[in-house]
Amino acid sequence: MPPGTVCCLSAWTVQTLRCLVLVTVGWPLFPAFRGVAGGSDSSHSDLYPTFMGNNTAFEHLALHPDPQVGWVYIGARDRLFQLNPLLQLRVQDDTGPVTDSPECLPPVTESNCPQARETSNHNKLLLVDPFSRELITCGSVNQGICQKRNLTSINQVLFSTERPVDTQYVAANHPNVSTVGLVVRPHPDRQPLLFVGRGYTSSHPPISTRNLAQEPIFSYEETAKLAVAGRLSEYDHHFVASFAHRHHVYFFFYRRDLKSQSREYRTYVSRVCLDDQAYYSYVEVPLTCRSRAGKNYNLLQAVKLGFSKSGARSEASEILLGVFSTHLTSSPRPSEDSALCIFNLQDVDRRINSTRDLCYTQMGREAGSEAAYIEYEVKSNCANLPEVSPTLRHVVSGFMVNSAEFNPQLA
């Protein structure tokens, strides 16, 4: 199978897994870090440091990698802020408004883009590169290009391409379309990489790996992307979060399930090996959060990796806590009806691994029925390779292309 193809479990073959659901009807869901700065209660401001920016919409927050330094970075609409540990303003840099149009490629000029207008620059990514000690900022203007900035003084731009190519467009170029990312280093002797997940605004890949050290910076030309052969707009990915854990990178998002008759939105967790430069190991697993009465909360809103027992730090105790909501009628927008689900990370990984094996050794079939299939219209099929030993399977797992369905029920 070529790089970027995906296998998924069919819904009717998924084994039941257990999770705990706490349902709160009518509890407003909290969005990603976003708010308008304003006044605060005087009793609170006396107890805690407070930073206020009038008429400023805060969108992302990051911390300096050295706790002894304690600097706080805030990405906002048209502004970046650098604060000291007491939340006092140290550096501010204006990033917008700028003359721009989502229909035009940068650099935008009056001659090549007469429809350009003054446009606010929403902060889409704010990431600290702890290896190079740089701040990565990506905005919604100029097709979502990124910059590297000095962690000591964020108004010092270390890198910004003046004539980017399409593989350097990183973030979604719309203020309401999601973008998530993280900076990781596959091995201590390798350069760090930027993993990005972005919602649909054009034909750019939903998940990609970007160069941070070699030219062209922020491009996926020499790295990897998730291949989607067609109908990317119909999947309509909405990304929620991403993180690296042990040897894998995980993405959490919801999208349309085009294999179902209803084409409803479902939540997925995807996994790819940290050092996989071709996405052969890519896997998708739908996550289901369901109440005892059978109500389906299908839109993930927030997720956190934690531990099931206080003080117990083992693989068996690793859990995913997810806040889910139902969707408004005929819309991917979340309602105020919400629930909290807890998933065991080991169960998720086991389901991913079993689907990988089904796709590569059983032609994607289990007990005579289809149990795995290729997603995203990639022209490929599950294989029928000979089963290998557990040791060899572990070695070759990084070169497999898969996706799985994970459908837990209420405990």
Side-chain angles (χ1 to χ4, degrees):
M1 289 181 283
T5 58
V6 180
C7 304
C8 291
L9 279 184
S10 301
W12 55 85
T13 63
V14 178
Q15 295 179 355
T16 298
L17 294 173
R18 300 170 67 85
C19 72
L20 173 65
V21 180
L22 303 177
V23 181
T24 56
V25 178
W27 174 40
L29 286 168
F30 51 88
F33 178 78
R34 177 173 291 190
V36 178
S40 61
D41 186 284
S42 59
S43 61
H44 289 172
S45 60
D46 291 340
L47 294 174
Y48 304 105
T50 303
F51 172 72
M52 296 180 291
N54 292 331
N55 300 318
T56 301
F58 297 150
E59 294 171 315
H60 293 98
L61 180 147
L63 302 177
H64 193 281
D66 185 352
Q68 298 299 318
V69 176
W71 288 337
V72 179
Y73 307 95
I74 298 177
R77 183 184 62 203
D78 295 326
R79 291 178 180 86
L80 296 173
F81 301 99
Q82 180 178 343
L83 313 178
N84 69 14
L86 296 178
L87 301 187
Q88 298 168 332
L89 181 62
R90 189 176 186 277
V91 181
Q92 174 181 325
D93 194 32
D94 294 338
T95 61
V98 300
T99 302
D100 188 54
S101 170
E103 302 171 1
C104 299
L105 304 181
V108 174
T109 64
E110 184 178 350
S111 60
N112 67 18
C113 187
Q115 67 268 44
R117 299 290 184 270
E118 188 175 81
T119 305
S120 285
N121 188 10
H122 291 260
N123 178 253
K124 305 299 291 184
L125 277 181
L126 183 74
L127 301 172
V128 171
D129 181 347
F131 312 104
S132 303
R133 293 300 179 102
E134 297 170 338
L135 183 69
I136 296 174
T137 63
C138 309
S140 58
V141 299
N142 293 320
Q143 301 299 328
I145 62 174
C146 299
Q147 296 175 324
K148 291 182 177 183
R149 294 173 178 263
N150 192 326
L151 272 184
T152 303
S153 183
I154 61 171
N155 57 359
Q156 181 183 354
V157 177
L158 304 176
F159 173 82
S160 181
T161 179
E162 295 183 0
R163 294 187 174 276
V165 296
D166 60 351
T167 58
Q168 291 175 296
Y169 303 153
V170 178
N173 63 349
H174 190 284
N176 297 329
V177 178
S178 61
T179 303
V180 300
L182 70 160
V183 178
V184 296
R185 187 162 62 181
H187 294 289
D189 58 346
R190 294 186 184 178
Q191 296 291 343
L193 296 169
L194 172 63
F195 282 79
V196 176
R198 56 172 287 174
Y200 176 79
T201 57
S202 59
S203 59
H204 298 291
I207 296 178
S208 58
T209 307
R210 310 272 178 162
N211 286 311
L212 289 177
Q214 65 185 64
E215 295 288 345
I217 304 296
F218 294 122
S219 173
Y220 58 78
E221 288 180 20
E222 302 299 327
T223 52
K225 65 177 181 178
L226 179 62
V228 178
R231 299 196 296 174
L232 179 57
S233 62
E234 295 190 47
Y235 288 99
D236 194 24
H237 292 74
H238 293 250
F239 283 86
V240 178
S242 62
F243 63 78
H245 186 59
R246 294 196 171 89
H247 304 295
H248 299 104
V249 173
Y250 297 82
F251 285 91
F252 296 83
F253 54 92
Y254 57 90
R255 64 165 175 83
R256 284 194 184 98
D257 179 8
L258 299 190
K259 297 287 285 188
S260 68
Q261 290 185 344
S262 64
R263 297 164 62 89
E264 65 178 357
Y265 284 86
R266 303 184 66 186
T267 289
Y268 295 78
V269 52
S270 70
R271 192 189 76 178
V272 64
C273 291
L274 196 62
D275 57 353
D276 184 354
Q277 299 183 13
Y279 281 19
Y280 287 123
S281 60
Y282 184 84
V283 180
E284 281 185 9
V285 179
L287 298 176
T288 296
C289 181
R290 185 174 291 126
S291 71
R292 293 186 184 275
K295 189 172 186 177
N296 186 23
Y297 296 81
N298 58 326
L299 303 184
L300 180 69
Q301 300 299 298
V303 65
K304 182 70 175 180
L305 178 65
F307 295 90
S308 59
K309 296 180 180 179
S310 178
R313 298 298 179 100
S314 65
E315 289 188 39
S317 66
E318 291 172 343
I319 56 174
L320 295 172
L321 296 96
V323 176
F324 293 75
S325 77
T326 58
H327 66 278
L328 298 175
T329 304
S330 302
S331 170
R333 294 175 53 194
S335 72
E336 293 185 352
D337 194 3
S338 58
L340 173 66
C341 270
I342 302 175
F343 305 88
N344 185 283
L345 184 60
Q346 270 194 340
D347 290 340
V348 176
D349 284 328
R350 287 192 191 103
R351 198 60 193 166
I352 288 172
N353 294 338
S354 66
T355 305
R356 173 199 63 199
D357 294 346
L358 282 173
C359 191
Y360 276 80
T361 65
Q362 303 295 328
M363 296 290 291
R365 304 185 71 82
E366 185 176 39
S369 301
E370 183 187 49
Y373 59 88
I374 305 298
E375 186 61 277
Y376 298 126
E377 294 190 351
V378 176
K379 303 303 180 183
S380 184
N381 295 294
C382 287
N384 191 19
L385 303 176
E387 294 191 29
V388 295
S389 68
T391 302
L392 182 56
R393 180 174 295 128
H394 175 74
V395 172
V396 304
S397 64
F399 299 95
M400 295 183 176
V401 187
N402 328 293
S403 176
E405 188 146 48
F406 180 78
N407 197 0
Q409 303 283 340
L410 174 66

